[in-house]
Amino acid sequence: MNTKNYSKVVNFSGKNLILIILLSLSFTIHSQVRVNFTPREAIASPSTSIYNIKGDFTIIGNTNLTLNNYDVNEPNSNNNMVYVDVDGNSNTFNSSSANLTFSTENGAIPECSKIVFAGLYWTGRASDGSNSPDTFNVTKNSVTKTLNKRKVQLKGPSAATYTEITAGTNDIYYPQTNDGFMYSAFAEITEYVKTNGLGQYTVADIALVEGNGGGTGYYGGWGIIVVYENSKMKWRDITVFDGHAYVQGSTTVSHQIPISGFNAVQTGQVNIKLGLMAGEGDRSISGDYFNILRSSDNNWQALNHTGNATNNFFNSSIQTGGNTRSPNLVNNTGLDISMFNIPNPGNTVIANNQTSTTLRYGSTQDTYVIFMAAMAVDAYIPDPEGVMSLVTINGLPATSTTTVTPGQEIEYSIKILNEGTESINNTQIKIQLPYTTTFVNGSQSGIINFSPLPTPNNVYFNPSDGPSGSLIWDIGTLPVPSTPTTVLGELKYKVKITEDCFLLKNTNCVPSASLYGFINGVGAVTGIQIINKPFIQGYVSSGLCLGDPILDAITTTIDATNFINQNCQNTNTELVFNYCSPISQVPFNSIASNYPIGTQFYNSYPVTGNTMEYTSSNPFPNTLGSFDYYAVPPNTNGCYYTLQIIIVGNPTITSPQAVNIVGCSTNAITGLPFSTTPVSITLQDFINIGGSVSNNSLSYTISYVDVITGSCPTVVNRSYTLTTSCVTTNLTQVFTIERPDFTMPENTASTVACAADIVAPLVPVVTDNCDNVLVASAPVISAAPTCEGTVTYTYTFTDCEGN
């Protein structure tokens, strides 16, 4: 495929009428709509309910189970089913393929078409017992592998190996104990198909089993729908919606799907195309139908294509426009994939200017599941055009080399045309400046080339709209010129390349400035809204896609190497955010405010269908530990910033143990000075005296104060206050200060001959380490001998405080 697939934002979030909602479903006892049918929106344009494009949709698919003894009319029920396996790969149990092709309408070149959306669906029945788990083991040729209903293997035309594709959590329905165990699954594969292009796609290892599945039977297969655009094709409004309906046989309940928001072409034939995917429709059982409501008489039009009948619509047929597939079976034993035009003679089904219709499906006999439907209607939209070009760089004419340096000014021009058949009211031009630029005040000028001048015809800059503000030109009414190539107006303005070191230094790509712009308005005759129609750069002038509009933004590469070396050496290379746990949530805005407005945040990069996006309504998780995240600035391709969020636990602070200290010195108590006024200490001082914390990497503020009770010996109560970014805690350490031992005369003896000769010795003077003089009480004399012998004097010593 030609690589010149120019980008285009297909986003119509503001279109008030674009609503595709499954309404009025009959939720009676017979109703088994398990997942309501809703619009399937592309990841790149999450608010797009209807694709308003020059282009179309196409569907391919195939079965991965077939009859052991194939017969064109034999059903899968009560028959032995075996795997289809066409890939020649011994590592896969089942596989089938189909070729993706695009239309050549109006001379369109398929290789020049741009893929807007691609979705992979798969379905099957893998049990005939009492339950059907999502994962199960299958053994074939003495090899056992685990199959998972939510996973398949996909290989595109340019891929050498398979890629595992996983359905999202809610995509779509996997009954384990009811609804005949018939499941359906979905995964968006837009980027995969863009990479692989046109050609053969193979899907392998769908979670299926071989054997006889009883009265219902086993079946299984896959389908891919692709929405694409091509400038040479008709305007169409395309809808893709999916869900899961278990349509019970032998009932007469009909389910309706109202569709609104498309705009059928104003004049001429209205062409309609329908696409469907379903499972377990039997060739030999009739009574299943699919209808559309006729606008002419409000009656139902029964539908069919060349491979089925109006009273047996779901009959195991694959009708997808003649694309080749392997195997190419008539009887696909339980798998229905169809894409066909709906007859609309005299526009009796959908009329010119019609904006809504209703589909209906049901069954009187056959049981089946339906999980995808798509519709394309020939449409009309007003057709203004904006042609954007780069004029000067720092005052000099721009050349083919579009490299700029920080601080330089760039001038742009937007030429406005009206290539449609009606005037455009409320015409507005809007250019959101990229985050790598700033607007040059006073540089804007809007020139009108027709008269009388429109109103309000006002050009102004809104600094709060978009990552770096938006330049807006409210023109008013844009008339229909005599020739569609007439330039009706021109807007010129300048931007300055950023000198912000963080923006220039830390993106994981070469920084650039990409300028996008859009036209908005409403058709003066039809009232059809034009919402964010993108500017073009011009038209392809050579090569395969000659004449196609160039939809890429104008991108200038920023050569910031010298600027960074001279000015940005001290700029942080990564922002780190610290939070304490437990917290209710990590504050999203405190992180997002450090990045350009419009930045999106993810848990992985590149962004895939399984990547989690974080927003103000879906904040970052508060799990303990250190985690990397990715900040993707707006309107960029491959650029991102890395950031780290660290969630730390509240530190567990353990009180120091009480200790006894010998000595009355007030200069050092366990390494810290005694103080009756608050003192600040370091975390290490706290640890040295026996304190401990669970996380010593946090910043602590520690203060203490001593309170004395008693005298020598003295009790000291030391009260600590420890403050971190996580917690403030108070704790106490108790010290008991004791006197040291000293020598105290227990017995003072004197030798006497008799009692009359007893002489009291001198009273000893004793001091302790508290500098207290110990005073002896009157001695207690032991019984004195009546003759010579030894008399013992016993003294009691008391300090000055009575201890």
Side-chain angles (χ1 to χ4, degrees), residues 48-67:
T48 302
S49 298
I50 292 183
Y51 299 99
N52 302 88
I53 58 174
K54 285 185 174 181
D56 204 348
F57 76 84
T58 192
I59 295 176
I60 62 172
N62 215 334
T63 182
N64 283 34
L65 268 183
T66 190
L67 292 161

Side-chain angles (χ1 to χ4, degrees), residues 502 506 571-579 586 590-591 594-595 625-629 641-648 697-698:
F502 180 77
N506 295 321
T571 302
N572 291 332
T573 57
E574 181 181 67
L575 294 184
V576 178
F577 301 89
N578 286 282
Y579 297 96
V586 176
S590 68
I591 295 173
N594 292 275
Y595 294 90
S626 175
F627 301 93
D628 291 329
Y629 297 93
Y641 300 95
T642 58
L643 61 114
Q644 189 176 80
I645 298 178
I646 301 174
I647 308 294
V648 296
S697 67
L698 296 179

Side-chain angles (χ1 to χ4, degrees), residues 227-241:
V227 178
Y228 62 96
E229 59 184 349
N230 191 297
S231 65
K232 292 182 172 61
M233 296 177 68
K234 294 179 181 179
W235 280 105
R236 289 181 173 90
D237 284 351
I238 300 171
T239 64
V240 178
F241 40 96

